[in-house]
Each structure stands twice: as C-alpha cells, then as structure tokens.
Amino acid sequence: MTSSLPSPSIVSNTRIVRASYANKSGVSLANFRIEHLPDSIDLNSVQDGELILRNLYLSLDPYVRFTLDETGGGTPASWRQLNVPFYGLGVAEIVASGHPKYPVGTLVTINTGYEKYTRVSGLDDPDQPSDIRVLPAHARDESKGVRLSNYVSALGMNGLTAYAGLKQLGVQPGKTIFVSSASGAVGQLVGQLAKKQGLYVIGSAGSDEKVAALLSEQHLDGAFNYKTESTRDALQRLAPKGIDYYYDNVGGFVLDTVLELINEHGRIVSVGMISQENGREPYPLRNLSYIARKGVHIFGFIYWHHLQYFADDSVDNTIRPLIESGEIVYRESVFEGIENAPEHFINMINGKYAGKVIIKIADL
C-alpha cells in the first residue's frame, strides 16, 4: 500500500553529513558538511515497507561525538561512515507511507537523519527491529505547556533515562542521592523526580548560574559548581551523612570520588561518561577497591533496555502531568535551522548550554 501527500510531490532536502573524523582532537566545523539537494525527494516514490519523514525537531546528544572517532568508541561501524548524514533522535511527521501501520500524518519519534527529510526502509525486515515510537494524539496539543519538542527531551529518551535510571537504582524515601551534571538534559529531570520520591538531592553543575537554577527552579536540597569547589569538599559539606545513591552522568574523577565517599551498600547507576568524551583520554579509576569493601552495586544503563516504559506509557503518564502543572521545570535550548546543527553541537559538547539542546527544523 502506497500513499503520499498530494502536493508538492517533489521536495528539496538539506542534510548534515560526516565530512571527516575528529578522533582525539576537539570537534570543529570542518568535521561537518552541509549539503543542499534541490528536488531530491519524490514523495510518490515511497515503496512498500518504506516511510518518508518530514523532520520537525532534532535532539543533539553527546553520544554522537563517538561517531566522529574512526575507531568508534564502541559504536557500530555503520554509525561512523563518512559522507552520510549524522543520525539522532527526532520528532517527525510521516509525509509518505508504504506501510499500513504508519499512515500519513502520524507523528513519531525515531532515530532520524540530521536533515529535513529522511527515507526509512526495511520496516518489514524482522532482522531490523524498528525504533519508531508513535506519539499519542495529545502530543499535538501544546496549550497546556507541554511542547512537541519535549518528545525528544523530557518525554523522550531523556525522560525515559531519568525515570528508568531511578527505577534501576531502587531509590527509597529519606535517602541521599547525588546527581552529576544535574542541569543537563537528563540530570535536571533526575533531581526533580527524586525530590518527588522523597529523597534528599544534591546536584553538581559547571557554572554558578546553573547551580542557582538547580536551587531556585528545581528546588534541590544542595548544589555546587564543580569548577570552583572540589567534589570531595562539596559532598562532605552537603551530605554529612554520606551518599546512598549516585546517578552518574560524567564518570572520571567524580565517580572515583564518590566511590570513596559512598555509604555501605550504596548504589550507582552509570548513565553517561561526559568527562571521557570529545577526545579526552580515559580516566584511570583508583578507588575500585571500595566496591568490594562497601558492597557497592554499580549498574550500567542503556536506554533501549528499558523501552517498556514507553510501551506502557509510564514516562508520558508520570512526567507530562508534572510539566503541565508546573511541578517540574524543564529547560530546553531550542535553535532554528538544520544548517546550524554543527555549531550548536560543538557548543553543546563544550558545555556552553544549559538543559537540553534541540534543533527546530520545521513547524508542524
């Protein structure tokens, strides 16, 4: 079955491709190339089992940095090819469909291209499981303060990561949790959800402005600037009874310090390694012996292991009402134009933005 929008049938595309590897160097604009492709997408050309997407919002995420490393940092080779578009989580509208499950006009989130239009194929291939999430009808309704862009942030991968990571830790009220990168795309949700669950929450961030927001907007119990105060001193000051849980977004020396300070039977979920990205050398952990000495549990986290929380609507049902009521404040930095994605990606991995970084490609 093939269907498509009646007009126009042929549209132009603009995409961002991987021009070169950064490897151990910092990422620069030279690693990206902007390609304008006039009249390159024929909506009537969609085949059975294919979709053509009109991309609306694109999430910029630190893990994409690994695809600019020729050796990959553990990412599949298919993610690191030169002269092909970068990929990231996006909100898109289906504008041509060759699959009865996904009609034209459906809003989805999917791992889509850094481009205006993306062709998706292989939907009937059992060896290529689909990462398409069909959004609920109310995703179109922005009248209650929930933006469509939230579906690649607070109600998307970041929301799932925050929600499921706390589930994995098995947090209990009255305990103390430390959240690193607490003003980031995931961390800002973790801190606020943990407060809702009755925990004493401490967060770290990289500027005084971000620390102030953690205290005044997100109402954490304590926060510090890791660039101006040592993590050890700050945690001893803010958590005199020790740390029970650590939600780790950064790894490196912060993880090493927490291993020394965490309470017996403490729990750590390893979600991100920001400190090890952008070509930095791996940090040699020195305090691993505390894992055995204190009976510490460390859990590795990969978001696609927890997609059941999308399937059963747990993320949407839990977080959306809190955003609508204003009980959760979620900071997004939304920038216009796919052509500007490289500049904002570089700024993001260099820590220049607070909250979630998103590119708006088109209006709904």
Side-chain angles (χ1 to χ4, degrees):
M1 183 186 79
T2 301
S3 59
S4 65
L5 291 181
S7 178
S9 62
I10 298 179
V11 295
S12 300
N13 202 10
T14 299
R15 63 184 193 172
I16 311 298
V17 304
R18 192 176 295 98
S20 62
Y21 297 114
N23 292 326
K24 298 301 181 183
S25 301
V27 179
S28 72
L29 291 176
N31 301 126
F32 303 83
R33 185 171 67 252
I34 302 171
E35 294 185 344
H36 301 286
L37 306 173
D39 299 332
S40 56
I41 304 288
D42 183 352
L43 302 182
N44 290 322
S45 69
V46 66
Q47 302 297 309
D48 289 346
E50 284 189 341
L51 302 175
I52 297 176
L53 308 175
R54 184 172 71 96
N55 296 317
L56 305 173
Y57 290 96
L58 175 68
S59 168
L60 299 187
D61 295 295
Y63 74 84
V64 175
R65 169 62 182 86
F66 291 121
T67 71
L68 284 164
D69 186 335
E70 196 166 5
T71 60
T75 60
S78 60
W79 293 16
R80 294 178 271 117
Q81 296 178 26
L82 295 180
N83 303 313
V84 298
F86 288 85
Y87 272 75
L89 187 68
V91 173
E93 180 185 30
I94 298 173
V95 292
S97 176
H99 198 291
K101 185 177 178 181
Y102 305 109
V104 167
T106 302
L107 291 182
V108 298
T109 59
I110 185 173
N111 198 40
T112 192
Y114 280 33
E115 55 190 349
K116 290 184 176 180
Y117 291 88
T118 297
R119 185 184 294 269
V120 178
S121 59
L123 294 177
D124 293 323
D125 186 347
D127 295 326
Q128 295 184 13
S130 171
D131 63 347
I132 298 177
R133 175 192 179 196
V134 175
L135 298 186
H138 61 234
R140 293 177 176 271
D141 181 8
E142 297 184 317
S143 65
K144 297 180 180 179
V146 179
R147 300 177 293 273
L148 183 57
S149 60
N150 286 154
Y151 281 90
V152 288
S153 61
L155 298 173
M157 182 173 67
N158 305 120
L160 173 66
T161 301
Y163 179 88
L166 288 170
K167 286 276 192 184
Q168 195 167 11
L169 279 175
V171 297
Q172 297 178 9
K175 300 286 190 177
T176 296
I177 186 170
F178 169 46
V179 184
S180 56
S181 190
S183 66
V186 173
Q188 60 178 309
L189 274 176
V190 174
Q192 293 179 87
L193 289 173
K195 283 292 295 178
K196 286 290 178 187
Q197 296 177 49
L199 282 85
Y200 184 87
V201 184
I202 298 167
S204 65
S207 74
D208 291 341
E209 183 273 334
K210 292 178 182 179
V211 169
L214 291 177
L215 297 172
S216 64
E217 295 180 9
Q218 299 177 30
H219 306 294
L220 301 195
D221 298 289
F224 66 95
N225 183 344
Y226 70 87
K227 293 182 179 178
T228 58
E229 182 177 10
S230 80
T231 298
R232 177 180 286 99
D233 290 347
L235 292 178
Q236 289 177 327
R237 173 174 62 85
L238 295 169
K241 295 183 180 179
I243 299 162
D244 301 300
Y245 308 110
Y246 174 38
Y247 197 106
D248 184 17
N249 290 304
V250 303
F253 78 94
V254 179
L255 174 59
D256 220 22
T257 301
V258 171
L259 285 170
E260 179 183 344
L261 299 179
I262 198 166
N263 292 334
E264 285 198 11
H265 307 299
R267 291 173 167 238
I268 298 170
V269 61
S270 178
V271 176
M273 292 281 172
I274 297 172
S275 68
Q276 310 295 286
E277 294 171 0
N278 203 17
R280 297 181 179 95
E281 290 295 327
Y283 182 89
L285 293 174
R286 298 177 175 86
N287 288 325
L288 292 175
S289 63
Y290 286 104
I291 298 172
R293 288 162 59 183
K294 296 182 179 182
V296 175
H297 287 75
I298 300 181
F299 303 91
F301 184 92
I302 301 176
Y303 88 97
W304 59 76
H305 292 169
H306 304 273
L307 294 178
Q308 72 270 20
Y309 297 123
F310 279 157
D312 66 10
D313 292 325
S314 292
V315 173
D316 206 71
N317 290 339
T318 300
I319 299 176
R320 186 181 175 100
L322 294 173
I323 297 174
E324 289 180 345
S325 66
E327 294 177 74
I328 276 185
V329 176
Y330 192 83
R331 302 179 89 188
E332 290 182 345
S333 297
V334 180
F335 301 98
E336 300 258 354
I338 188 62
E339 299 89 347
N340 298 314
E343 174 190 354
H344 295 303
F345 180 85
I346 292 168
N347 288 341
M348 175 199 65
I349 61 174
N350 288 327
K352 294 186 178 181
Y353 301 134
K356 178 68 181 181
V357 183
I358 297 172
I359 299 295
K360 181 179 180 181
I361 301 175
D363 290 312
L364 179 62

